[in-house]
Amino acid sequence: FAVNSIQFWSNPVEGLQEVRRVLKPGGRVVITIQPMWAKTEEEVQSVAEKLILQLKQVGFKQVRLETRQSKPMATVSGIGIK
């Protein structure tokens, strides 16, 4: 899992590809972000949608989003299975 770090990866898609490569078959990835820079819940949703697209793009299956309301902004987790 990774918490509040993917936004600092130089290339998130390549990073997720590497995570998928080293994960055992059936393994789970959880990427969590609380986008403190977001000004609105719509911006948080946009971050979440981008994360989900990236997980699918690199081949994770059963990709889903979990959102937890918190202050000052919601926290989103993208979850996928290799």
Side-chain angles (χ1 to χ4, degrees), residues 11-38:
N11 188 323
V13 171
E14 286 182 6
L16 289 171
Q17 287 171 331
E18 180 64 7
V19 169
R20 187 175 183 284
R21 185 186 73 77
V22 300
L23 200 61
K24 70 179 183 175
R28 179 180 318 214
V29 64
V30 179
I31 306 291
T32 299
I33 306 171
Q34 184 181 31
M36 303 295 280
W37 65 90

Side-chain angles (χ1 to χ4, degrees), residues 7-64:
Q7 65 269 27
F8 301 111
W9 298 2
S10 59
N11 188 323
V13 171
E14 286 182 6
L16 289 171
Q17 287 171 331
E18 180 64 7
V19 169
R20 187 175 183 284
R21 185 186 73 77
V22 300
L23 200 61
K24 70 179 183 175
R28 179 180 318 214
V29 64
V30 179
I31 306 291
T32 299
I33 306 171
Q34 184 181 31
M36 303 295 280
W37 65 90
K39 303 284 189 246
T40 65
E41 290 299 322
E42 289 78 23
E43 287 182 65
V44 174
Q45 187 60 36
S46 177
V47 169
E49 290 170 4
K50 182 177 179 180
L51 175 58
I52 294 304
L53 287 174
Q54 290 171 329
L55 288 168
K56 289 178 178 179
Q57 179 182 348
V58 302
F60 283 101
K61 306 295 182 202
Q62 300 176 22
V63 175
R64 71 180 196 276

